[in-house]
Amino acid sequence: MPTESLTGWADIDLAAIRANVERLDELSGDAAVMAVLKADAYGHGLLPVARAALAGGATHLAVAQLSEALAARAAGITAPLLTWLYPPGADLEPAVAADLILSAGTPWSLDLIADGARRAGRTATVHIKVDSGLGRGGAWGEDLAEMFLQAARLEAEGVIDVEGMWSHFAWADAPAHPTVQRQREAFLEAIGDAERAGLRPRIRHLANSAATLTNPDAHLDMVRPGLAVYGLSPTPDIGGPPHFGLTEAMRLTARLVNVKDAPAGQGVSYGHEYTTPQATRLGLVPLGYADGIPRAGGNVGPMALGAQRLHVAGRVCMDQVVLDLGPGSDAAAGDEVVILGREADGEPTAQDWAAATGTINYEIVTRLGARVPRRYLGEAG
Ligand SMILES: *Cc1c(COP(=O)(O)O)cnc(C)c1O
């Protein structure tokens, strides 16, 4: 649809994604970069972001769910691609045939991968997932020891290749937290155990965005950032995107579709949770919670109309929210409102929305609705 017909859209700056990956590559020194593109590239759009990340120097990509990985392959993404979420009983033959890197975080997952590999008639590339203390995915203790022996047998058969081992931090956003160092040590210990069992993992990876930005000791052979690829800060307490040399790639804009005078004392939106304190002008923004505007942003969500900073007036509805533009506002229907964009440009940011609504910037961007068209800017020629 031509832009003049759109009520709202998200601009995705692919040049910023490219530059962010270049920055992460530079920060991580000799380590390779695996860009995490799960959840439709954190709401930014899988395919264009994958191309931009690869252009920026990422050598590997990752998505959480098997279905996301297969969709990426079907869309023509051929780069090394890790996936880690699939249930017992999943048919992994297509995954092996598609040359995905399959994570094994349980003894049964190794069996499932082996079965897929035998049926596909090729060796499956495996990264063993160690739970070094997050207490989420991956294996520890006896299960892990059993997996190493099982994996060594399957390697000897030529069914799998344990190319990598990986793990994930609980507290990477608090670099001084004692678990960070402990998890790294536990991970390296597990790698030692794997080697003693006869495995030769070449790619050891541990660092998410926060660890990539703040903890060089965790870079190992490859870093695995998601959020920072999109130019958002995983550690807003330490600094925003400009502090880390990152640039937010997403700007969400909408056009006012109704501007009108309102008297003092007028209740606004469902439940009248906002009342105009004085005679004023109201502006209607045609995006709502179905588009990813958090409903918790009622009366607090920040927006900008040019240089004017505003807040949502009253409840966020499914498709619309209202702004109190102030008395004498010269805003008109058609004017553009920035809902989130760049800190360096003085715009409200995903982090501002997160702070205002009690969540994290990850959730703000990943929940951007499917209904919001993405416009891609800065595509490499
Ligand atoms: C999402 C995820 C990442 C990326 O995390 P960010 O904080 O976005 O950098 C890395 N590894 C795993 C296992 C993940 O689930």
Side-chain angles (χ1 to χ4, degrees):
M1 200 184 283
T3 304
E4 57 273 16
S5 304
L6 293 176
T7 51
W9 63 89
D11 285 322
I12 308 297
D13 183 346
L14 297 173
I17 300 230
R18 232 162 33 239
N20 292 333
V21 174
E22 283 167 8
R23 171 80 180 135
L24 293 163
D25 197 17
E26 173 193 311
L27 282 170
S28 59
D30 291 339
V33 176
M34 170 182 270
V36 179
L37 308 183
K38 60 194 180 187
D40 199 29
Y42 290 44
H44 294 63
L46 175 66
L47 252 185
V49 169
R51 284 196 214 103
L54 292 166
T59 56
H60 291 67
L61 306 175
V63 292
Q65 298 181 351
L66 176 62
S67 57
E68 296 183 285
L70 291 170
R73 281 286 187 259
I77 295 174
T78 57
L81 176 59
L82 171 71
T83 183
W84 59 91
L85 289 180
Y86 51 87
D91 176 7
L92 295 184
E93 180 187 344
V96 177
D99 201 21
L100 297 177
I101 302 169
L102 292 165
S103 172
T106 59
W108 61 257
S109 60
L110 273 178
D111 291 329
L112 213 56
I113 294 169
D115 176 63
R118 289 190 185 102
R119 284 186 293 117
R122 59 186 293 177
T123 304
T125 304
V126 172
H127 288 199
I128 292 181
K129 178 80 179 280
V130 177
D131 191 335
S132 57
L134 170 58
R136 197 180 72 176
W140 52 27
E142 307 248 307
D143 277 350
L144 189 60
E146 178 193 327
M147 284 175 70
F148 291 155
L149 298 176
Q150 186 187 0
R153 282 194 300 271
L154 292 168
E155 271 198 348
E157 264 183 65
V159 175
I160 67 168
D161 169 26
V162 180
E163 176 193 59
M165 284 182 53
W166 68 307
S167 190
H168 196 38
F169 283 119
W171 282 95
D173 52 336
H177 196 276
T179 58
V180 174
Q181 184 58 17
R182 245 185 272 143
Q183 279 197 254
R184 178 178 172 277
E185 282 162 14
F187 181 49
L188 294 178
E189 217 167 283
I191 291 164
D193 292 344
E195 287 169 345
R196 278 185 287 280
L199 302 174
R200 292 288 170 268
R202 283 91 67 201
I203 308 180
R204 304 160 303 160
H205 51 111
L206 177 60
N208 59 1
S209 293
T212 303
L213 296 171
T214 67
N215 186 355
D217 280 352
H219 291 169
L220 305 181
D221 302 312
M222 187 162 77
V223 296
R224 204 174 62 240
L227 193 74
V229 166
Y230 310 98
L232 301 179
S233 170
T235 55
D237 297 348
I238 297 176
H243 173 81
F244 292 111
L246 301 169
T247 304
E248 300 94 325
M250 180 188 290
R251 175 180 286 111
L252 179 60
T253 306
R255 256 196 261 276
L256 294 176
V257 291
N258 188 342
V259 175
K260 64 190 178 199
D261 290 319
Q266 173 64 50
V268 173
S269 191
Y270 292 133
H272 284 174
E273 287 183 6
Y274 180 80
T275 303
T276 55
Q278 58 195 333
T280 188
R281 280 171 79 71
L282 299 177
L284 184 62
V285 178
L287 291 175
Y289 61 77
D291 303 295
I293 308 294
R295 193 166 175 281
N299 280 335
V300 295
M303 297 195 184
L305 178 68
Q308 191 186 9
R309 267 299 185 111
L310 297 162
H311 291 90
V312 170
R315 275 192 203 155
V316 174
C317 309
M318 188 183 295
D319 317 298
Q320 317 178 39
V321 299
V322 179
L323 296 173
D324 182 343
L325 303 169
S329 167
D330 60 2
D335 285 359
E336 291 184 7
V337 172
V338 175
I339 295 141
L340 60 86
R342 288 188 180 157
E343 180 181 321
D345 294 344
E347 294 167 336
T349 63
Q351 178 54 35
D352 292 336
W353 274 91
T357 60
T359 183
I360 53 176
N361 49 6
Y362 293 76
E363 190 179 20
I364 299 296
V365 291
T366 55
R367 295 189 67 172
L368 184 71
R371 189 168 68 174
V372 178
R374 276 67 163 170
R375 296 196 315 186
Y376 292 97
L377 314 175
E379 201 132 17

